């Protein structure tokens, strides 16, 4: 029986989706809601088809089949996470040491990439000879090595006889150029989307730094290579899951409070943890099952967890499938979920159940199962826990209540200030090899496309053909219906115009064909209004102006920002570009229009520009927008990002691809001189018009 006020489990995915859509669209007019709903329905059907090889009652049929599949998936994951092609030497050093009696804290610095170093604290048991188990701890959003739950974990397990490495994530603490804590630095200045544009990912960088942390642990003579764990909370839980999937050296994993089946989260916006193309390689069940042969995985969660997934749904959709593979290896008891009652999204890796899991699989040198049973729940008194802090830290992760709600096992932990734990000399964090700003700047310099005006038309035409192929590949348009028949939904009069509502295309969206009355074979302009809706386009001054010039207007809807498209190796922009091309095909099936004079007016991202670059049926273009507007209610993300496009072509190159077709550019363009040079080479210098934006 369901709990009171709870829907049956089989109905929860749709119920949660409905709630998410309701929250996301609160106050939104009906028309955008219909577009959003159609888009989500399509994506739900599409993601169900991926990955192509899913765990089911027939697959895998043997250990050998799964091991071969796992090896291939790991290769694809390393590519999806954009790991460097080769590892550089670690060049690790210990910059200092804090003696805490039965354990010490070493201040470690290791090289992750040629131009990127990681600062970390290593908790080392004292008085024990190796080999000893070791754990690396990725941090949650805003977390870093001095975050209290990381300090608590490091001290607790070091006292139990385990080495614990806690690195600063890129963008936090000493890996922020201003030594800031709790800032979620990977989200500042639209860094997530800037990385995506270049074809790299922030989550991939975080995972790779943890893999290099495993390399560091294995370089320590006292570490047992058969007992390497990875434990993280929130975003750190996701990083732990991904790192465990990629690296078979990890033999114990605890991704805490933030994991889900990707099929269940269509329409839920997030930040950084959905790498482009992930679903083409693996979904959550397959990721967990990659540890079936050698990893013991416990997923600690809270009864109140709902973001991104209810733990009961998670057990039914992910764990049930992954356990089938574990059982194939005779290790069904090495995959488990523990749900802490009446709690949600807390560092449950600190409780006795988690501690017992590690003891069971790692044989902790200084803590037995009987010892763990005797430990009381709850942290030490605040006056003891905070005794060495000069002042309480403002971030919510420092709240004592989080330890209480997580049922943290009682341990004599004393939190230390970040200044005491720091590895670098004051001011060194501003050096580019430590902070995220430096890492980003290097990649944008190395990977971003550049545009230099060509010296001849032949040179440009040769480059143009190759460029169009690359753009088509990274844009990765969805497959459109083979036959596209526009359906007339409604006809109405509006002033001196006739409006026909047409329905067509992959998503079944409708558009308004607005024609001047009594016009015979008018030219037509496909119009993408800045609101992304045909309703507002119908009312706009731009439409009125086009009608007064004798042109018909096809006003179309555009889909919103949605991260599931990235999981599929696509983007919302790809769907909008595809819909423009569908609109061209729909127009071709309508009589009494001058199809030799088709224009496109784009006020949404780079949609019209990309559509015109790929399809020469668009004879004239008005560009009045560029990718990069803020996503509503999620200002650290940007609309219009096409993964990898920034490494292939600049915006100036995209505009130059239109030559010699007429283009009206109502945006500021850094590459204006190069664009004009291409138009001159094409003998169309007067067809590239740069003007101030029109009032809307």
């Amino acid at each position: 029986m369901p709990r009171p006020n709870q829907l049956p489990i089989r109905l929860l995915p749709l119920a949660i989706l409905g709630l998410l859509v309701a929250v996301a669209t609160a106050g939104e007019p009906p028309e955008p809601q219909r577009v959003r709903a159609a888009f989500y329905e399509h994506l739900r059907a599409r993601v169900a088809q991926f990955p192509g090889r899913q765990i089911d009652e027939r697959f895998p049929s043997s250990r050998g089949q799964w091991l071969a599949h796992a090896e291939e998936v790991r290769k694809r994951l390393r590519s999806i996470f954009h790991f460097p092609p080769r590892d550089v030497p670690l060049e690790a050093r210990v910059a200092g040491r804090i003696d805490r009696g039965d354990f010490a804290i070493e201040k470690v610095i290791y090289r992750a990439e040629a131009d990127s170093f990681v600062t970390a604290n290593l908790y080392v048991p004292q008085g024990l000879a190796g080999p000893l188990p070791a754990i690396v701890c990725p941090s949650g959003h805003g977390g870093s090595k001095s975050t209290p739950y990381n300090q608590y974990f490091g001290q607790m397990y070091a006292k139990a006889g385990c080495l614990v490495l806690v690195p600063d994530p890129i963008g936090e603490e000493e890996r922020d150029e201003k030594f800031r804590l709790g800032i979620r630095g990977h989200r500042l200045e639209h860094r997530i989307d800037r990385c995506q544009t270049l074809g790299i990912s922030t989550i991939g960088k975080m995972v790779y730094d943890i893999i290099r942390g495993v390399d560091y642990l294995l370089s320590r003579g006292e570490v047992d290579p058969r007992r390497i764990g990875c434990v993280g909370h929130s975003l750190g839980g996701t990083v732990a899951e991904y790192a465990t999937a990629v690296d078979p050296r990890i033999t114990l994993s605890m991704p805490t409070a933030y994991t889900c089946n990707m099929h269940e989260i269509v329409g839920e916006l997030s930040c950084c943890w959905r790498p482009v193309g992930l679903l083409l390689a693996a979904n959550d069940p397959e990721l967990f099952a990659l540890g079936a042969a050698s990893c013991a995985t416990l997923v600690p969660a809270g009864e109140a967890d709902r973001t991104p997934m209810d733990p009961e749904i998670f057990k039914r959709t992910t764990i049930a499938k992954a356990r089938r593979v574990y059982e194939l290896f005779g290790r069904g008891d090495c995959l488990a979920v523990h749900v802490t009652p009446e709690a949600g999204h807390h560092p449950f890796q600190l409780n006795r159940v988690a501690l017992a899991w590690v003891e069971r699989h790692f044989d902790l040198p200084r803590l037995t199962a009987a010892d763990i049973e005797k430990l009381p729940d709850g942290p030490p008194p605040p006056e003891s826990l905070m005794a060495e802090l000069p002042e309480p830290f403002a971030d919510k992760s420092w709240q004592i209540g989080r330890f209480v709600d997580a049922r943290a096992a009682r341990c004599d932990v004393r939190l230390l200030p970040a200044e005491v734990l720091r590895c670098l000399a004051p001011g060194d964090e501003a050096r580019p090899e430590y902070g995220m700003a430096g890492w980003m700047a290097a990649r944008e310099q190395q990977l971003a496309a550049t545009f230099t005006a060509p010296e001849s038309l032949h040179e440009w035409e040769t480059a143009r053909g190759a460029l169009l192929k690359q753009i088509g590949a990274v844009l990765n348009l969805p497959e459109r219906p083979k036959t596209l028949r526009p359906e007339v939904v409604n006809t109405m009069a509006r002033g001196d115009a006739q409006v026909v509502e047409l329905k067509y295309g992959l998503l079944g969206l409708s558009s308004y064909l607005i024609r001047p009355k009594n016009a015979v074979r008018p030219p037509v302009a496909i119009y993408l209004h800045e609101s992304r809706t045909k309703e507002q386009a119908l009312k706009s001054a731009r439409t009125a102006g086009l009608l007064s010039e004798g042109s018909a207007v096809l006003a179309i809807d555009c889909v919103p920002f949605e991260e599931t498209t990235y999981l599929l190796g696509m983007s919302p922009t790809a769907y909008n570009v595809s819909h423009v091309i569908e609109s061209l095909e729909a127009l071709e099936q309508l009589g009494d229009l001058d199809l030799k004079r088709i224009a496109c007016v784009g006020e949404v991202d780079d949609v019209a520009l990309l559509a015109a670059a790929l399809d020469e049926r668009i004879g004239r273009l008005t560009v009045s927008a560029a990718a990069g507007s803020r996503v509503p209610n999620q200002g650290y993300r940007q609309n219009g990002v096409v993964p990898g496009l920034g490494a292939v072509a600049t915006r100036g190159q995209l505009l130059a691809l239109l030559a010699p077709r007429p283009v009206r550019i109502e945006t500021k363009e850094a590459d204006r001189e190069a664009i004009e040079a291409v138009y001159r080479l094409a003998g169309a210098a007067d067809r590239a018009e740069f003007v101030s934006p029109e009032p809307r």
Side-chain angles (χ1 to χ4, degrees):
M1 291 289 292
R3 294 194 295 270
N5 301 318
Q6 185 182 31
L7 290 173
I9 291 299
R10 65 180 182 279
L11 297 181
L12 268 169
L14 292 177
I16 292 173
L17 177 64
L19 176 62
L20 292 169
V21 172
V23 171
T25 61
E28 192 175 47
E31 186 63 22
Q33 288 188 31
R34 285 194 290 270
V35 174
R36 194 183 298 273
F39 189 31
Y40 292 174
E41 181 181 2
H42 164 79
L43 288 176
R44 285 196 297 274
R46 184 159 175 78
V47 299
Q49 302 170 16
F50 293 96
R53 204 84 187 266
Q54 301 182 35
I55 298 169
D56 57 26
E57 63 276 5
R58 296 179 300 276
F59 175 77
S61 59
S62 67
R63 295 182 184 184
Q65 185 184 41
W66 178 255
L67 290 174
H69 178 70
E71 184 177 356
E72 180 59 32
V73 171
R74 286 194 177 102
K75 288 179 182 177
R76 295 185 67 184
L77 289 175
R78 292 179 70 89
S79 175
I80 287 165
F81 289 127
H82 301 285
F83 284 3
R86 62 188 62 84
D87 296 336
V88 299
L90 282 169
E91 298 180 17
R93 61 188 177 91
V94 176
R97 182 181 175 91
I98 305 171
D99 192 331
R100 302 294 286 181
D102 48 1
F103 70 93
I105 305 173
E106 294 185 0
K107 302 176 179 185
V108 174
I109 303 168
Y110 62 87
R111 186 189 289 272
E113 299 178 70
D115 58 355
S116 177
F117 284 84
V118 178
T119 50
N121 287 157
L122 180 68
Y123 294 79
V124 184
Q126 300 203 100
L128 289 176
L132 301 176
I135 297 173
V136 60
C137 293
S139 295
H141 280 111
S144 53
K145 65 180 183 299
S146 66
T147 297
Y149 62 77
N150 281 333
Q151 290 197 52
Y152 202 114
F153 186 90
Q155 293 186 34
M156 174 189 289
Y157 279 84
K159 288 173 178 289
C162 181
L163 282 84
V164 179
L165 181 70
V166 187
D168 283 328
I170 193 161
E172 300 292 341
E173 202 163 321
E174 292 187 87
R175 300 185 71 195
D176 170 69
E177 60 277 7
K178 297 179 182 178
F179 193 70
R180 293 173 291 183
L181 282 72
I183 61 168
R184 304 185 177 212
H186 63 286
R187 297 195 332 197
L188 299 180
E189 301 167 349
H190 299 106
R191 287 168 172 172
I192 300 166
D193 298 301
R194 286 161 60 195
C195 280
Q196 279 196 342
T197 299
L198 297 177
I200 56 178
S201 71
T202 53
I203 189 71
K205 171 60 173 167
M206 293 176 183
V207 173
Y208 185 68
D209 288 350
I210 293 300
I211 298 298
R212 296 311 320 264
V214 173
D215 291 340
Y216 174 69
L217 289 174
L218 290 172
S219 74
R220 303 275 302 209
E222 68 266 52
V223 169
D224 183 350
R226 298 168 300 175
R227 291 185 288 171
I228 300 290
C230 189
V231 177
H233 166 63
S234 193
L235 174 63
T238 305
V239 173
E241 177 187 352
Y242 291 161
T244 302
V246 170
D247 194 337
R249 298 174 300 177
I250 296 172
T251 57
L252 182 142
S253 181
M254 278 199 289
T256 304
Y258 212 82
T259 183
C260 71
N261 187 300
M262 303 296 181
H263 292 173
E264 305 296 325
I265 55 171
V266 174
E268 181 189 341
L269 301 185
S270 182
C271 52
C272 58
W273 54 276
R274 304 182 205 185
V276 175
L278 178 64
L279 267 178
L280 305 181
N283 191 9
D284 219 35
E286 290 74 34
L287 291 172
F288 275 95
L290 288 174
S294 58
C295 188
T297 298
L298 174 70
V299 185
E303 186 180 30
D305 278 335
R306 293 295 181 270
T307 302
M309 178 171 287
D310 181 296
E312 294 302 317
I313 299 174
F314 172 70
K315 286 190 282 188
R316 293 172 64 93
T317 59
T318 289
I319 296 301
K321 281 190 171 185
R323 180 171 286 121
R324 182 182 177 279
V325 184
Y326 270 79
E327 290 172 347
L328 194 65
F329 285 85
R331 305 180 71 247
D333 61 345
C334 290
L335 177 64
V337 178
H338 178 263
V339 179
T340 298
E342 301 176 354
H345 209 73
H346 293 300
F348 302 116
Q349 70 268 32
L350 304 179
N351 64 33
R352 287 187 298 140
V353 172
L355 195 55
W357 183 267
V358 179
E359 193 285 324
R360 172 185 162 193
H361 294 281
F362 272 7
D363 190 21
L364 292 170
R366 284 181 171 158
L367 200 65
T368 67
D371 295 331
I372 294 170
E373 284 294 322
K374 296 175 184 176
L375 292 174
D377 288 339
E383 58 271 17
S384 170
L385 187 65
M386 312 283 279
E388 298 184 51
L389 292 177
E391 59 185 26
F393 193 70
D395 185 81
K396 66 180 182 180
S397 66
W398 285 73
Q399 295 171 358
I400 303 301
R402 298 199 70 196
F403 295 142
V404 175
D405 292 340
R407 315 294 199 272
R410 178 68 60 86
C411 182
D412 182 21
V413 170
R414 294 199 172 199
L415 302 176
L416 298 174
E419 287 290 345
V420 172
L421 296 172
R422 69 178 298 156
C423 305
L424 303 174
D428 278 357
E429 64 273 2
R431 291 165 55 180
E433 62 265 35
Y434 295 112
M436 188 164 193
W439 184 80
M440 289 284 303
R443 269 122 202 93
E444 289 183 323
Q445 184 176 7
Q446 295 165 2
L447 300 178
T450 57
F451 184 27
T452 304
E455 295 183 359
S456 69
L457 184 60
H458 175 73
E459 177 189 337
W460 172 247
E461 288 177 343
T462 302
R464 184 179 186 276
L467 196 56
L468 284 171
K469 289 182 181 179
Q470 290 177 301
I471 292 167
V474 298
L475 192 56
N476 190 22
L477 297 181
E479 186 175 351
R480 298 185 295 278
K482 293 181 180 179
T483 57
L484 189 149
R485 300 183 184 280
E487 171 191 350
V488 176
V489 177
N490 191 20
T491 303
M492 51 189 163
R494 188 176 181 90
D496 293 330
Q498 180 190 47
V499 181
V500 179
E501 185 176 2
L502 302 170
K503 183 178 180 180
Y504 57 87
L506 178 65
L507 303 182
L509 302 180
S510 66
S511 303
Y512 288 152
L513 179 60
I514 312 160
R515 300 170 52 115
K517 284 186 177 178
N518 304 318
V520 178
R521 291 188 60 77
V524 60
I526 300 172
Y527 182 20
L528 295 76
H529 187 267
E530 62 182 342
S531 68
R532 299 174 180 262
T533 70
K534 63 180 181 293
E535 300 290 343
Q536 293 302 312
L538 182 62
K539 304 172 186 177
S540 76
R542 178 103 64 178
T543 294
L546 289 165
L547 292 172
S548 68
E549 295 170 2
S551 178
V553 176
L554 184 69
I556 69 173
D557 287 321
C558 294
V559 301
F561 178 86
E562 212 299 318
E563 288 176 291
T564 301
T565 54
Y566 296 133
L567 287 170
L568 294 168
M570 305 169 73
S571 64
T573 296
Y575 276 90
N576 288 325
V577 170
S578 182
H579 192 43
V580 173
I581 296 173
E582 288 177 332
S583 299
L584 292 169
E585 295 167 359
L587 290 171
E588 289 180 341
Q589 297 191 43
L590 301 174
D592 200 23
L593 293 170
D594 185 353
L595 300 182
K596 293 183 179 180
R597 291 190 292 163
I598 297 179
C600 190
V601 179
E603 297 175 359
V604 176
D605 308 326
D606 289 322
V607 176
L609 173 54
L610 288 164
L614 296 178
D615 199 314
E616 294 193 355
R617 288 177 292 182
I618 297 173
R620 180 183 295 271
L621 184 67
T622 298
V623 177
S624 191
S629 64
R630 293 191 173 210
V631 175
N633 303 319
Q634 200 180 18
Y636 50 82
R637 296 304 304 269
Q638 292 179 306
N639 279 304
V641 172
V642 176
L645 183 60
V648 169
T650 68
R651 184 173 162 81
Q653 285 174 305
L654 294 176
L655 286 162
L657 288 171
L658 304 176
R661 287 174 284 172
V663 59
R664 176 185 173 92
I665 302 171
E666 299 178 351
T667 52
K668 293 182 179 179
E669 300 297 337
D671 290 336
R672 175 172 174 172
E673 291 183 4
I675 297 165
E676 290 177 324
V678 172
Y679 266 81
R680 285 195 300 272
L681 289 172
D686 60 339
R687 295 186 183 179
E689 182 184 7
F690 290 83
V691 297
S692 299
E694 289 188 350
R696 300 177 191 166

